[in-house]
Amino acid sequence: MIMKKNIIVFSTIFLTIAVLFSGQAGFMAFSETLGDENNDENSSTVAASNDDITVLGGIPPAGTLHSEGIFVVNANTGIPIYAKNEHERLPPASTTKIMTALIVLEKVADLDEIVAISSLCADEFWNKDVPNKYLEGNAAGIMPNQTNLTYRDCLYALLLSSSNYAANILAFNVGGKGGDAFDVFMKMMNDKAMELGCQNTNFTNPHGLYETRNYSTAYDMYLITQFVYERYPLFSEICATQIYQMPENSEEPYGYPVTNTNMMINSRSSDNPYYYEPVRGIKTGSMPEYYLETSPGVFDTANPVPGFTNLVSSASRNSFNYIIVSFGAPWHLRSQRLEGEEAHHYTYADHELLFKWAFNTFDYQMALSKNEPIGSIKVLDGQGIDEIKLYPQMDKDYWTLLPKELDMRSAFQYKIDVGVTEVTVPADGLPAGTVFGSIELVFANNTLGKWQLVTIESVERSQVAETREKFEGILDQWWFKPTIVLLAVMIIALIVLNFVRKNRFESVSKKKHHNRRIRR
């Protein structure tokens, strides 16, 4: 009986040791990544491309677009929704004046300061050897000897009536009023373009009249427009103005009005077929025709290149704001309509079609909710819990722009990066807000945002785990193994001793029994 009890004690001790070591191995076990299935399931893109045309959501506008380069952006979110040849270098024409205005707004502290008017500002428009500029000053009523003209007046003449003369006056004054003033101003323009990320833009004049090395793209012009539109409220105010009263001069003793060349905002004319109420600007650009430079200073005047029209416009409706840049629509003479023919001002038609399509097609949808769990992690040694959910750490739900008809699940990639699939609760518990990875939201191959994945509830360590941890502490003591060995030796010795005693007892018993039989 004594031997049996000792064997039970010995077996229990070693079984306990085995269980503790196996539990410790389970505590240290980790797996790789949570959410691989989600990554595969949501890996589709929302952009449908056809050659050089990209449409967000794959639902293009129903109609014909005539412009060579187009870029359409939702100004609320910065998300492009339509792009066609947006990086193709094309003549910017008078949309160049957007950059001219930006430099003036940045460099001039007092816009009501009087500007100096030099003959240098008009000389190029009288040079017959340069047919692309000859008599193309569009003076906007500005007189060479005028002494009461301000930077503000010139900005209105620049952006409303598209005065090339006003562009040169501004460049001359901001550039330092010296013989190199225009070169200085051109450097300012090109340095700013580079700063804004315009990789396919080069300006060689402040007005946009055709020169071989004066070029930009629909995308670059958007970058310029978006910057000045957001930074300088006066710019958008000027661009949305229909009429501005210029100061008096020797020809106009009572002053005179300049009108906006953008017919999409001209509500004064009852027979204007291009007026579109949501439009708030921004800048026209056009060339009836121009001549290529066959060699330095020599132009092919016998073969004029057909003209084109450009337009940068913005429109707002029901809290939706869009900016459109279009380059290279075919030129058309407005007089056609007066002659009884159908008017085809292709630039305005393109913008109206794109605005209506944008307003009718897109809506804001919630792409990621702060209250919806992304995944979960298995919890070991938790008090009354075996799984904990992970949520994106964000202040508010994330909304973005999507076509109303588009299934949101097919629109996004949810790139989830979590290093573990299970976690053991430490002695002091697992606090709420513990970070276990991140989620990246990808839309049309562009990252919209990246957030940490965290827990929103705390988890306490279980009593069983605490008890096991105490045993684990004992296992780590220096004396534990020697004690186990000593205990094992003692148990074995005890077993041997019991065995010897039993044998001796049985031997003595047999001998006594034998002696009794003899005496009988």
Side-chain angles (χ1 to χ4, degrees):
M1 178 65 70
I2 294 175
M3 181 182 70
K4 186 180 290 186
K5 289 182 178 179
N6 288 334
I7 292 173
I8 292 173
V9 172
F10 176 77
S11 302
T12 302
I13 291 173
F14 277 93
L15 182 61
T16 302
I17 294 171
V19 170
L20 288 174
F21 278 112
S22 65
Q24 196 170 19
F27 171 73
M28 297 301 293
F30 293 98
S31 62
E32 295 181 357
T33 305
L34 173 70
D36 288 341
E37 293 183 358
N38 288 341
N39 287 343
D40 294 336
E41 181 180 351
N42 297 299
S43 61
S44 58
T45 180
V46 300
S49 298
N50 180 16
D51 296 331
D52 53 0
I53 298 176
T54 304
V55 183
L56 185 65
I59 305 174
T64 301
L65 294 170
H66 308 86
S67 298
E68 180 68 20
I70 302 174
F71 196 59
V72 185
V73 181
N74 176 271
N76 305 84
T77 62
I79 296 175
I81 62 171
Y82 186 93
K84 173 187 176 184
N85 298 329
E86 71 273 24
H87 298 298
E88 181 180 347
R89 294 178 177 180
L90 296 167
S94 286
T95 63
T96 298
K97 296 181 173 81
I98 296 174
M99 176 59 90
T100 301
L102 169 56
I103 299 302
V104 173
L105 291 169
E106 281 196 340
K107 301 296 183 180
V108 179
D110 182 9
L111 294 178
D112 293 318
E113 181 183 343
I114 301 298
V115 297
I117 302 178
S118 166
S119 60
L120 296 175
C121 301
D123 285 350
E124 64 177 329
F125 306 127
W126 295 93
N127 186 356
K128 292 184 179 181
D129 294 333
V130 186
N132 290 320
K133 297 180 181 180
Y134 183 60
L135 298 180
E136 290 292 341
N138 182 11
I142 298 173
M143 302 302 295
N145 57 352
Q146 196 162 345
T147 59
N148 62 346
L149 198 69
T150 66
Y151 284 99
R152 188 183 306 274
D153 297 328
C154 287
L155 280 174
Y156 274 93
L158 177 83
L159 296 172
L160 266 61
S161 66
S162 200
S163 171
N164 299 324
Y165 192 26
N168 278 358
I169 293 171
L170 290 169
F172 175 76
N173 282 266
V174 175
K177 303 178 184 178
D180 62 346
F182 295 105
D183 292 335
V184 172
F185 193 81
M186 287 306 100
K187 187 176 186 306
M188 292 179 184
M189 292 177 71
N190 288 313
D191 285 349
K192 191 65 182 181
M194 185 177 298
E195 177 189 326
L196 296 178
C198 302
Q199 298 183 6
N200 292 288
T201 293
N202 185 70
F203 295 113
T204 57
N205 63 60
H207 41 67
L209 292 177
Y210 184 82
E211 290 182 5
T212 304
R213 295 289 298 165
N214 195 75
Y215 56 80
S216 188
T217 69
Y219 174 79
D220 286 359
M221 191 56 67
Y222 162 75
L223 295 179
I224 298 167
T225 302
Q226 185 264 348
F227 181 85
V228 66
Y229 215 68
E230 288 186 353
R231 294 294 183 91
Y232 299 99
L234 178 61
F235 176 83
S236 56
E237 179 184 326
I238 293 174
C239 292
T241 301
Q242 294 192 35
I243 302 177
Y244 177 77
Q245 189 70 14
M246 295 287 284
E248 70 278 4
N249 57 39
S250 58
E251 297 292 327
E252 301 286 348
Y254 302 103
Y256 58 96
V258 290
T259 59
N260 201 317
T261 58
N262 186 352
M263 297 185 70
M264 296 193 81
I265 69 170
N266 182 7
S267 62
R268 299 176 302 109
S269 175
S270 59
D271 63 344
N272 175 17
Y274 310 118
Y275 174 68
Y276 185 53
E277 190 277 331
V279 173
R280 299 294 180 266
I282 298 175
K283 186 69 191 78
T284 58
S286 62
M287 290 185 188
E289 62 182 17
Y290 59 97
Y291 306 96
L292 297 179
E293 194 173 13
T294 57
S295 60
V298 178
F299 297 86
D300 185 8
T301 56
N303 298 290
V305 179
F308 61 89
T309 55
N310 299 343
L311 181 62
V312 181
S313 65
S314 66
S316 301
R317 172 172 285 176
N318 298 330
S319 77
F320 290 87
N321 303 288
Y322 290 94
I323 293 176
I324 299 177
V325 181
S326 67
F327 279 6
W331 171 264
H332 116 96
L333 296 176
R334 297 177 185 172
S335 61
Q336 287 179 330
R337 185 168 58 85
L338 301 178
E339 297 169 0
E341 298 181 15
E342 183 181 0
H344 295 289
H345 201 305
Y346 296 114
T347 298
Y348 295 139
D350 283 357
H351 282 235
E352 183 174 356
L353 173 64
L354 287 165
F355 279 132
K356 289 181 177 179
W357 165 71
F359 289 135
N360 294 330
T361 302
F362 294 92
D363 200 357
Y364 298 121
Q365 297 188 38
M366 187 171 64
L368 195 62
S369 172
K370 67 175 184 177
N371 297 318
E372 183 177 342
I374 299 302
S376 62
I377 293 179
K378 183 179 179 181
V379 174
L380 303 176
D381 299 338
Q383 182 65 41
I385 187 172
D386 57 6
E387 184 182 73
I388 190 166
K389 295 179 179 179
L390 302 178
Y391 294 81
Q393 190 177 45
M394 53 202 316
D395 296 330
K396 58 184 179 180
D397 298 334
Y398 187 87
W399 293 73
T400 190
L401 194 72
L402 275 179
K404 300 173 185 177
E405 302 175 7
L406 189 67
D407 176 21
M408 191 181 70
R409 286 191 171 273
S410 67
F412 295 98
Q413 262 187 292
Y414 296 89
K415 294 186 176 180
I416 300 172
D417 182 15
V418 178
V420 298
T421 56
E422 63 181 25
V423 62
T424 299
V425 180
D428 55 351
L430 190 68
T434 302
V435 178
F436 281 103
S438 64
I439 179 171
E440 181 180 359
L441 183 62
V442 179
F443 185 46
N445 298 321
N446 295 313
T447 297
L448 298 183
K450 188 173 184 179
W451 300 266
Q452 291 182 323
L453 289 175
V454 299
T455 60
I456 62 172
E457 55 182 330
S458 60
V459 181
E460 295 182 358
R461 190 168 173 82
S462 68
Q463 294 297 325
V464 173
E466 290 183 3
T467 301
R468 190 183 71 223
E469 192 173 70
K470 291 179 181 179
F471 277 107
E472 291 175 352
I474 294 174
L475 294 176
D476 292 334
Q477 297 297 321
W478 67 268
W479 48 262
F480 179 77
K481 288 183 180 180
T483 301
I484 292 298
V485 172
L486 179 61
L487 181 61
V489 171
M490 292 175 63
I491 292 173
I492 293 172
L494 182 61
I495 293 173
V496 172
L497 181 61
N498 285 340
F499 179 76
V500 172
R501 286 179 178 178
K502 181 179 178 181
N503 288 342
R504 184 179 298 174
F505 175 77
E506 290 178 352
S507 175
V508 171
S509 297
K510 287 180 180 180
K511 186 174 181 180
K512 287 181 179 180
H513 180 69
H514 177 71
N515 291 337
R516 282 199 296 269
R517 291 184 62 184
I518 292 177
R519 284 198 293 271
R520 288 179 184 176

